[in-house]
């Protein structure tokens, strides 16, 4: 099946084959665009994180702890789908450098609740500004109303662990 797909530039439309049936060709053009988009999207943050000796794993932990203050270590493990060993290394560095604070749970003292510190919040904000600039530049080249389609597309790409998982991640937060 052929469809006309905009590449987000009003003056440049391309005709591409959409792979929506078994046995058809892979969507190599979209796969390549996702590789390049991811490389450049995370590259903006990578360069800033390197100044503190951090990497992408640190960024993910900071981002989700910032968006979910008081989340448990177990909750973070579930959300990121990583091993306890890999989280412990990253979390230890963030705690030692005072970007994340850890507190005992009030109801269950075995729980470790995570919060970003002032320094952690500042870094999360700086990284979000960097990455938002790239997103906003790209959306400015798209047709009006494209943002909702991008959100729908990216959300559909995720293997959500439960129906409430998508709602929890995509709901508007402060």
């Amino acid at each position: 099946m052929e469809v006309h797909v905009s590449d987000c530039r009003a003056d440049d439309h391309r005709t591409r084959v959409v792979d929506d049936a078994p046995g058809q060709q892979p969507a190599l053009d979209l796969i390549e665009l996702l590789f390049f988009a991811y490389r450049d999207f995370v590259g903006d943050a990578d360069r800033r994180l390197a100044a503190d000796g951090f990497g992408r794993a640190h960024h993910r932990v900071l981002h989700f702890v910032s968006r979910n203050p008081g989340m448990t270590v177990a909750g973070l493990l579930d959300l990121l789908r990583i091993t306890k060993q890999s989280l412990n290394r990253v979390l230890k560095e963030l705690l030692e450098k005072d970007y994340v604070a850890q507190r005992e749970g009030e109801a269950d003292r075995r729980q470790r609740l995570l919060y970003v510190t002032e320094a952690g919040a500042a870094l999360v904000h700086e990284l979000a500004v960097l990455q938002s600039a790239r997103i906003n530049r790209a959306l400015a080249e798209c047709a009006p109303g494209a943002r909702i389609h991008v959100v729908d597309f990216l959300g559909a790409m995720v293997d959500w662990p439960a129906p409430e998982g998508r709602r929890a991640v995509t709901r508007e937060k402060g």
Side-chain angles (χ1 to χ4, degrees):
M1 162 202 301
E2 278 196 11
V3 296
H4 295 278
V5 179
S6 166
D7 72 352
C8 292
R9 287 172 193 65
D11 60 344
D12 182 15
H13 294 275
R14 299 177 187 173
T15 302
R16 299 202 178 126
V17 175
V18 175
D19 180 18
D20 62 354
Q24 291 205 2
Q25 294 299 312
L28 297 176
D29 57 340
L30 296 178
I31 292 168
E32 288 176 4
L33 286 170
L34 282 169
F35 279 133
F36 292 131
Y38 178 75
R39 176 200 64 195
D40 295 341
F41 175 74
V42 297
D44 295 335
D46 286 349
R47 287 183 288 281
R48 170 56 187 92
L49 288 161
D52 290 332
F54 294 151
R56 292 177 189 166
H58 297 88
H59 186 189
R60 283 189 294 275
V61 169
L62 282 168
H63 174 84
F64 286 108
V65 170
S66 171
R67 299 277 288 166
N68 301 280
M71 82 181 313
T72 63
V73 170
L76 187 57
L77 287 168
D78 287 344
L79 181 69
L80 297 178
R81 295 185 190 172
I82 59 175
T83 65
K84 188 184 275 190
Q85 183 179 4
S86 34
L87 177 60
N88 283 340
R89 178 191 61 79
V90 168
L91 194 53
K92 181 179 181 214
E93 292 173 359
L94 291 169
L95 289 163
E96 287 172 354
K97 292 185 178 184
D98 197 35
Y99 284 88
V100 171
Q102 182 174 272
R103 301 182 196 137
E104 288 180 348
E106 288 185 26
D108 183 349
R109 294 197 178 284
R110 294 172 297 174
Q111 280 187 325
R112 295 185 296 161
L113 307 180
L114 303 173
Y115 301 86
V116 292
T117 62
E118 201 171 307
L123 180 56
V124 167
H125 179 75
E126 186 179 346
L127 296 170
V129 167
L130 278 173
Q131 292 183 314
S132 293
R134 179 174 295 278
I135 290 168
N136 292 332
R137 280 192 310 269
L139 287 173
E141 293 186 27
C142 295
R147 187 181 199 286
I148 190 67
H149 299 296
V150 172
V151 169
D152 288 345
F153 173 78
L154 293 174
M157 294 275 300
V158 176
D159 289 331
W160 299 102
E164 65 277 359
R166 181 174 184 174
R167 287 188 302 276
V169 171
T170 58
R171 74 177 185 272
E172 286 298 314
K173 298 180 184 182

